[in-house]
Amino acid sequence: MSSPHITDPSRRRMLTVARFALHMITALLSAVTAIRAIATGVPLLPAMLMAGVFLAWYATGAAFARGRFTGWWLGGLSILWLGMLLLSAEFVWLSFPLLLLAGHVLHQWPSVAFAIPVLIAAIVAPVVHQVPITFAHVAGPLLGGGFALAISLGYDALLRDAVERDRLIASLVRTQDEMASLQEELARTQRDAGATQERTRLARDLHDTIAQELSSVVLMARTADAERMPQIESIAQHSLTDLRRIVAALAPAELEGAALAAAIERMLEALRRDTGIETALQVDPALPAMQTSQEVVFLRVAQSALANVRQHARASRAEVSFEVAAGQVAMSVTDDGVGFLVSDSTATSTSYGLSAMRSRLREFGGTLQVRSAPGEGTVLTATVPVERTGGDS
């Protein structure tokens, strides 16, 4: 006999007890009605044989019937019961286990449709055997059978609710496990993205500082001029200091204890001293105090731009200027060097530097504009919106 799959141990025990009670009622009623039938004059062998066949069929279905076969099993049990009613009206009491089974095996309305002929047969059976009809012969099957069917339907509804509850709980547990797995995957993805972003940042920092300064050391070393040794040593020492700062994830050494303008002034002075290029710094008096992270991005862009002036521009003058307009700070690096075709900049050695500058500025909602042409110098403008003043990021 099929039943809902219950996972809760207490509900499984309740279902087991209910099944056992139904089996005991069926077996007891079969024995009692057979004995009463024999007492009313039914031969011993037919009465015992019919009761035995009924119980055997009942036990077989209870043990093996599953799915749609339970309906056929209940139908066969009903046919056997009708045959027993033809033998004796005492077997009418077996209608109660039949109605209990109907509420469990069949759905709601099919079980009601099944109960109607069963109750009619239970009421008509005494008439067939010429037993005087009384109120008890009619009310007994109606009240008892209806009560049995109602109990069976109610208990089956409770079982189905329990199964649905177990299914929902299992689904919730699976969902929680999936969410935990997704959160773990998201955390791992965020860690990977953070690591990638940090590698990109370090690559930009190394390019804008160490790589550019080492390039200057190489250029000065190629001149084989002993007088440049102090400059080479100074740049190398500066590179070492900056590298330590990068590794320690601290602010740039140039900004330590100094404002942005002062740091860039020192960079321009070093450029003038090393190359002879005339330099100038123009700062808007309305320039607000910026976050350290914003000063860092301007400093790195200036470093990269001035390194390009040093190595490629062949300029005689370079200027850095700061302007404030419409909530934005714009830094321009201008030189009068050989210039280049902006459309072809990706093919030059400055391409990585320009890409790094744009990447840095995008992180702060900023932009980079490059204006240049062969023989007309270059103007590089970095713009960053400034919404707050003061404090570290």
Side-chain angles (χ1 to χ4, degrees), residues 11-54:
R11 295 195 188 105
R12 290 182 66 87
R13 285 193 296 270
M14 291 176 58
L15 180 59
T16 301
V17 171
R19 284 178 174 176
F20 179 75
L22 178 59
H23 299 337
M24 290 298 297
I25 290 173
T26 304
L28 182 61
L29 286 177
S30 296
V32 170
T33 53
I35 293 172
R36 286 179 59 87
I38 293 171
T40 58
V42 176
L44 176 63
L45 182 60
M48 298 303 294
L49 181 62
M50 290 297 292
V53 172
F54 182 87

Side-chain angles (χ1 to χ4, degrees), residues 28-358:
L28 182 61
L29 286 177
S30 296
V32 170
T33 53
I35 293 172
R36 286 179 59 87
I38 293 171
T40 58
V42 176
L44 176 63
L45 182 60
M48 298 303 294
L49 181 62
M50 290 297 292
V53 172
F54 182 87
L55 283 177
W57 182 256
Y58 174 86
T60 301
F64 301 108
R66 297 291 184 272
R68 60 188 181 89
F69 294 106
T70 55
W72 294 101
W73 166 68
L74 181 60
L77 199 64
S78 303
I79 293 173
L80 288 174
W81 175 67
L82 291 175
M84 296 169 73
L85 285 182
L86 294 176
L87 187 63
S88 172
E90 296 296 333
F91 291 113
V92 72
W93 297 99
L94 289 175
S95 63
F96 298 125
L98 283 177
L99 293 175
L100 287 172
L101 285 172
H104 183 62
V105 171
L106 304 175
H107 295 294
Q108 182 177 2
W109 292 113
S111 65
V112 173
F114 175 84
I116 293 175
V118 169
L119 293 175
I120 292 175
I123 295 171
V124 172
V127 178
V128 174
H129 291 281
Q130 299 179 352
V131 176
I133 298 295
T134 64
F135 178 75
H137 285 99
V138 177
L142 289 177
L143 294 179
F147 184 69
L149 180 62
I151 288 178
S152 180
L153 288 174
Y155 186 73
D156 191 63
L158 290 176
L159 285 179
R160 297 184 188 280
D161 288 343
V163 170
E164 181 64 16
R165 188 179 302 111
D166 288 343
R167 187 189 68 79
L168 291 176
I169 291 174
S171 176
L172 178 60
V173 171
R174 287 195 303 270
T175 301
Q176 289 176 334
D177 292 341
E178 291 174 358
M179 288 182 63
S181 177
L182 289 174
Q183 288 175 345
E184 182 179 353
E185 180 67 22
L186 178 60
R188 185 164 53 250
T189 301
Q190 289 175 338
R191 288 195 299 270
D192 294 342
T196 301
Q197 184 177 9
E198 184 64 13
R199 285 195 296 269
T200 302
R201 186 188 68 81
L202 289 174
R204 291 196 308 244
D205 285 350
L206 291 172
H207 173 271
D208 293 345
T209 57
I210 310 301
Q212 302 289 6
E213 291 171 349
L214 289 179
S215 297
S216 298
V217 169
V218 170
L219 291 175
M220 285 188 285
R222 285 175 179 172
T223 64
D225 188 351
E227 295 181 356
R228 287 188 174 270
M229 290 304 297
Q231 296 178 5
I232 293 175
E233 180 182 1
S234 175
I235 294 174
Q237 183 62 43
H238 186 274
S239 298
L240 180 60
T241 301
D242 225 346
L243 179 60
R244 287 170 177 167
R245 296 292 181 178
I246 292 172
V247 172
L250 297 176
E254 295 88 347
L255 287 177
E256 195 170 78
L260 174 62
I264 293 180
E265 179 67 42
R266 289 198 301 271
M267 293 167 51
L268 290 171
E269 176 60 24
L271 177 65
R272 184 195 61 76
R273 185 180 62 248
D274 296 341
T275 65
I277 296 175
E278 183 181 351
T279 61
L281 175 64
Q282 302 293 331
V283 180
D284 190 332
L287 182 68
M290 292 180 286
Q291 302 175 39
T292 300
S293 58
Q294 293 172 327
E295 291 185 338
V296 169
V297 73
F298 277 125
L299 179 68
R300 295 307 188 205
V301 170
Q303 280 181 319
S304 186
L306 292 176
N308 287 334
V309 172
R310 178 193 296 265
Q311 297 175 34
H312 307 296
R314 297 200 293 276
S316 62
R317 178 179 174 81
E319 179 179 318
V320 177
S321 62
F322 285 92
E323 295 181 355
V324 181
Q328 292 186 328
V329 174
M331 181 187 72
S332 298
V333 180
T334 306
D335 69 73
D336 59 356
V338 296
F340 59 93
L341 287 175
V342 176
S343 60
D344 295 338
S345 62
T346 56
T348 72
S349 59
T350 64
S351 60
Y352 181 85
L354 292 175
S355 297
M357 293 181 210
R358 288 193 173 94

